Amino acid sequence: MAKSSSVAPESRVYRWLDERLGISEIVELAGKKRVPEHKHSFWYYWGGITLFFFLVMCVTGVLLLVYYRPGDGAYESVRLITYDIKFGWLVRSIHSWSANLMVAAAFVHMFSAFFMKAYRRPREFLWFTGIGLLSLSMLFGFSGYLLPMDELAYFATKVGLAIPATIPVVGPWIADLARGGPEVGAYTVSRFFALHVVVLPAMFVPLLGIHLALVQKHGMSIPESEQAKPEKARKTIPFFPNFAMKDMAVWLIALNVLGFLAAVYPWQLGPAADSLMPAPMDIHPEWYFMSSFQILKWFGNWFPGALGEFLGIAVFNVGVLLWAIVPFFDPEKRSGVWGRRVTWFGIFVVFVILLTTIWGYAVLPAGK
């Protein structure tokens, strides 16, 4: 029998692809790549979990696009998806839950990178691109929140757009640009839709590509306790297949959690928005904006009027800026005085976010 006839069809396909795409070279390169393994390795998987939820969000978003209609027909199209289209409720629920879980995973990823000092030289741009991706993820959530145009989305968006309107000089212009007019309406939905499905993905995908390329260039950071060990005493595992298989197992767990939440706690659709009706007593932003919402309320109570809103926004923005440029305060690989101060700053930030978020939900009035 000729040698070529003994080759399995899969092998022929593989060889055909390998000849054109260089798959074996990629597999060989992945096998040479090593990933640190230590007691903090658990935190390495949160970047991959964030990516997984982003991919799910993209796939379900494309499915929702088939039936969703921005503008005046927004609410009716979401009602059709939720109640009339087969499994439409499930696709919408998976999309909404994956968006929230993506933001949650991104927060965990950011704080784990912070406390493992993964922003230090030469990983500054990994930190900056990560901050950018988290900010865009939150904008994805804010812009997607209005699209159903139900009662809660309508009034929550009105409250959300009132915040940038308090910024001196450019604030009213930004709010009018986002609304498309003096009030939240069909034009606002169309603008948020364009932002959600065109503008934000066009910014997010290239930034994600840069972030992943930088991860490949610099590799995984290791905590100081591991850096203190001699290089021979540090444990590593091959990226492929060892770490890749563990990553896939974590994705499977994430898929199960997502499926459970989407099926058991389906995303609800409230009554259609009515600008003539009073706002619900329990109106509030999404959970990831609750901390900033509560801080602004706190300043508003202490300094009534525009001064309180301005001070609240100023303090919040200064805090975000300090957080973003933290690599410049703590650039060295060994912790000194500034390293310890930055760690305490991180603990303070986590404490404030948790406290104000819990506080915000605790003081919400009972709904209807």
Side-chain angles (χ1 to χ4, degrees), residues 42-43 46-47 50 102-114:
F42 167 76
W43 303 109
W46 285 93
T50 308
M102 173 185 164
V103 175
F107 267 108
V108 174
H109 183 46
M110 178 185 71
F111 283 115
S112 62
F114 179 90

Side-chain angles (χ1 to χ4, degrees), residues 58-115:
C58 290
V59 172
T60 51
V62 170
L63 294 175
L64 291 174
L65 278 176
V66 175
Y67 293 99
Y68 181 76
R69 297 193 305 275
D72 289 326
Y75 180 81
E76 180 56 25
S77 65
V78 177
R79 192 204 61 75
L80 184 76
I81 292 169
T82 307
Y83 300 114
D84 294 343
I85 303 297
K86 282 187 178 180
F87 300 108
W89 67 272
L90 183 60
V91 173
R92 177 171 172 252
S93 192
I94 291 174
H95 185 74
S96 300
W97 273 113
S98 62
N100 279 269
L101 292 172
M102 173 185 164
V103 175
F107 267 108
V108 174
H109 183 46
M110 178 185 71
F111 283 115
S112 62
F114 179 90
F115 288 110

Side-chain angles (χ1 to χ4, degrees), residues 23-266:
I23 296 175
S24 59
E25 295 173 12
I26 297 173
V27 171
E28 184 180 355
L29 183 65
K32 290 179 179 177
K33 182 177 173 60
R34 309 287 295 186
V35 177
E37 190 174 53
H38 45 78
K39 62 181 179 181
H40 301 294
S41 296
F42 167 76
W43 303 109
Y44 287 154
Y45 298 100
W46 285 93
I49 294 172
T50 308
L51 177 61
F52 169 76
F53 287 128
F54 172 71
L55 295 175
V56 172
M57 194 176 70
C58 290
V59 172
T60 51
V62 170
L63 294 175
L64 291 174
L65 278 176
V66 175
Y67 293 99
Y68 181 76
R69 297 193 305 275
D72 289 326
Y75 180 81
E76 180 56 25
S77 65
V78 177
R79 192 204 61 75
L80 184 76
I81 292 169
T82 307
Y83 300 114
D84 294 343
I85 303 297
K86 282 187 178 180
F87 300 108
W89 67 272
L90 183 60
V91 173
R92 177 171 172 252
S93 192
I94 291 174
H95 185 74
S96 300
W97 273 113
S98 62
N100 279 269
L101 292 172
M102 173 185 164
V103 175
F107 267 108
V108 174
H109 183 46
M110 178 185 71
F111 283 115
S112 62
F114 179 90
F115 288 110
M116 289 175 71
K117 306 291 185 182
Y119 52 78
R120 285 176 170 171
R121 180 166 57 88
R123 293 186 171 82
E124 293 93 335
F125 280 95
L126 257 174
W127 175 259
F128 298 147
T129 52
I131 294 291
L133 288 170
L134 176 58
S135 303
L136 291 175
S137 300
M138 295 173 74
L139 279 176
F140 265 119
F142 181 68
S143 58
Y145 199 62
L146 176 67
L147 299 187
M149 202 50 176
D150 61 2
E151 186 181 64
L152 185 61
Y154 172 78
F155 286 106
T157 304
K158 283 190 72 173
V159 173
L161 289 178
I163 295 173
T166 61
I167 300 173
V169 184
V170 297
W173 178 80
I174 294 174
D176 285 345
L177 179 67
R179 278 193 300 261
E183 296 291 336
V184 173
Y187 287 119
T188 318
V189 175
S190 296
R191 293 188 177 207
F192 274 46
F193 177 72
L195 182 70
H196 193 70
V197 305
V198 178
V199 179
L200 291 178
M203 298 169 67
F204 191 93
V205 172
L207 194 61
L208 176 63
I210 295 171
H211 189 74
L212 294 177
L214 289 172
V215 171
Q216 294 306 309
K217 175 175 175 54
H218 296 298
M220 304 285 195
S221 67
I222 56 175
E224 286 185 81
S225 57
E226 287 296 308
Q227 291 180 24
K229 295 179 180 177
E231 193 164 348
K232 289 184 178 178
R234 300 175 194 168
K235 295 181 180 177
T236 61
I237 58 174
F239 176 81
F240 187 84
N242 301 50
F243 185 81
M245 293 300 289
K246 290 184 178 181
D247 223 10
M248 291 299 104
V250 171
W251 282 28
L252 186 59
I253 295 171
L255 177 63
N256 278 275
V257 171
L258 176 61
F260 173 81
L261 291 172
V264 178
Y265 302 102

